[in-house]
Amino acid sequence: MHGEYKVPGGKLVVVDLEVEDGVLRHVRVAGDFFLEPDEAFEVLSRALEGAPADTDAAGLAARIDAALPEGTVFYGLTSEGVGVAVRRALAHATDWTDYDWQLIHEAPQSPALLMALDEVLTEEVAAGRRPPTLRVWEWESPAVVIGSFQSLRNEVDQEGTERHGVRVVRRISGGGAMFCEPGNAITYSLSVPDSLVQGLSFADSYAYLDDWVLEALGDMGIKAWYQPLNDIATDAGKVAGAAQKRVAGGQGAVLHHVTMSYDIDADKMVEVLRIGREKLSDKGTRSAKKRVDPLRRQTGLPREAVIERMLDSFRTRYGLAAGKVTDEEMARARELARTKFSSPEWTARVP
């Protein structure tokens, strides 16, 4: 069995092993990480030999930590990262490079249709009828998007949304509310087979699926990091938030979508969202009387150029072919946008 895991912000660890009588045998750890002292390298594999095959990543990490010589230092690696690679080997997990990735980046669409496309495309990936897909959203109109389990009245200022012509929609994933305007946000979705995140905990899957965009930001000179559970941060504060939804059926799939703050009208944001000072502080400002523009300010690039740099980074690492929403997928999405995502029943399902 073979497992690989790219430690978020770190290096690749590779594990080859067999299972005999319910325990790990012939374990071999390798990778492009750094480790001192040199003799600690062999300990990584020996510590895992004979471990019960159902040991979780934390338990495997504990075995490694207990066996390592005093003063061992990892660079680009963690003991739990080795444990995750083992779990991925046992789960027969796939890797980013195992797939032919498809890009969808189309003309601006309504907020309800953007929500519906997430559901339809991820279901298609789960059914095996669509390859793993990276979709970049373009907003036709401003919107407040609330998480699947949020209270509408607690999160949204109805008078503010009506005054500013902001549409309120509810997405299928959990997490918090976000305010998006055309040209001011960068939003994308990954619809991926469940096998890509096999062997990862729910929390680890966020870091794993965010890692490519951290590297893309790094290519633009921005030092960014994953901030558990679902944020991406820089020295300027939070720049993005992620949310996920697991989809059953077929091979199963995961929807992972991210909204990045390119240039936010903070005045308007606090008029459409019921948002406090604490929430504002992690968006890079103490006062609403300014724009929150971490990506615009840090890159100095137009929004379109930031998106293209991100796509180039993904394409270089994993390949990315131009694709489109099929006629059948679009018909289903339009129907869902009308019957579900535009319906008061769905939007106010948690009043």
Side-chain angles (χ1 to χ4, degrees), residues 1 24 45 75 91-92 99 116 163 196 205 251 256 271 299 323 337:
M1 300 177 186
L24 307 185
S45 300
Y75 299 94
H92 302 285
Y99 299 106
R163 184 168 61 253
L196 184 63
S205 71
Q251 64 184 356
H256 179 92
E271 291 180 19
T299 65

Side-chain angles (χ1 to χ4, degrees), residues 85-164:
V86 171
R87 298 309 313 166
R88 286 176 59 76
L90 294 167
H92 302 285
T94 54
D95 184 70
W96 295 83
T97 55
D98 292 332
Y99 299 106
D100 295 322
W101 288 87
Q102 188 173 109
L103 168 68
I104 293 176
H105 189 186
E106 300 186 337
Q109 293 160 326
S110 71
L113 183 56
L114 291 169
M115 303 303 115
L117 283 167
D118 261 355
E119 183 168 330
V120 169
L121 297 181
T122 307
E123 286 178 347
E124 288 296 287
V125 171
R129 293 186 292 262
R130 160 171 287 281
T133 299
L134 169 60
R135 179 171 68 97
V136 178
W137 303 21
E138 293 295 347
W139 296 89
E140 186 177 83
S141 59
V144 165
V145 183
I146 58 176
S148 182
F149 313 112
Q150 287 189 296
S151 163
L152 178 62
R153 70 166 64 99
N154 288 345
E155 300 297 329
V156 178
D157 187 314
Q158 198 67 40
E159 291 184 2
T161 58
E162 291 174 359
R163 184 168 61 253
H164 290 291

Side-chain angles (χ1 to χ4, degrees), residues 9 11 33 45 82 92 107 109 111 151 173-174 186 192 194 233 260 264 282-283 302 308 314 320 345:
K11 298 294 186 177
F33 50 83
S45 300
V82 178
H92 302 285
Q109 293 160 326
S151 163
S173 63
I186 297 174
V192 304
D194 186 65
M260 311 180 76
I264 297 176
D282 75 359
K283 290 176 170 52
E308 195 51 46
F314 191 103
L320 188 63
E345 292 79 12

Side-chain angles (χ1 to χ4, degrees), residues 61-68:
R63 291 177 66 102
I64 292 170
D65 290 339
L68 287 171

